[in-house]
Amino acid sequence: MSSVYDCSVVELPRINSPSGNLTPVCSRLQIPFDIARVYYLYDIPGGETRGGHAHRDLQQLIVAASGSFDVLLDDGINKRVVHLNRPYFGLYMPNMIWRELINFSSGGICLVIASRPYDEADYYRDYAEFVTTVRGGQ
Ligand code: TYD
């Protein structure tokens, strides 16, 4: 099972120029998976919360492409909070981590790079079911 300590903040490359900066993310270079999907959350009201689920198999890199938010991580035993506020830092998340994205700044954009296509069957949306599963071996 994954641990919240398997989640890591990755510093992404930065190509800076007076006309603006650029950050590339490549499969198997900055992230340990092949990119299957990219999506982004935007027009999020300030202070709003997203997430509230875990994934059976999906791995993700989560980036505050603009603004900031906090990610609450929970592996069913331990919890951690990671603050994201720069487009050149990404939070790598393995599968089987419950997450909530909270405290969105107004105008914040959350960019997600994912290892699999969207599949509702990959989600745990019930926290009690998630905890029962991860603690099942105990
Ligand atoms: P969800 O993953 O619950 O969003 P969040 O974690 O940001 O709160 O997805 C919200 C809705 O969007 C849900 O109905 C599923 C749909 N969705 C897609 O159709 N494709 C996707 O790639 C994603 C991530 C979500």
Side-chain angles (χ1 to χ4, degrees), residues 37-51:
R37 176 170 51 122
V38 173
Y39 66 91
Y40 35 97
L41 308 173
Y42 54 96
D43 291 345
I44 305 161
E48 192 53 83
T49 294
R50 302 285 307 212

Side-chain angles (χ1 to χ4, degrees), residues 58-78:
L58 189 76
Q59 301 173 67
Q60 293 170 307
L61 185 81
I62 297 179
V63 178
S66 184
S68 65
F69 51 87
D70 296 317
V71 188
L72 303 184
L73 303 167
D74 180 343
D75 58 22
I77 311 266
N78 296 300

Side-chain angles (χ1 to χ4, degrees), residues 25-35 59:
V25 180
C26 299
S27 297
R28 305 272 168 197
L29 274 181
Q30 289 81 26
I31 47 175
F33 57 82
D34 290 325
I35 298 168
Q59 301 173 67

Side-chain angles (χ1 to χ4, degrees), residues 11-16 21-24 88-89:
E11 184 162 2
L12 302 167
R14 265 183 281 173
I15 301 165
N16 297 326
N21 303 331
L22 183 156
T23 287
Y88 51 84
F89 283 114

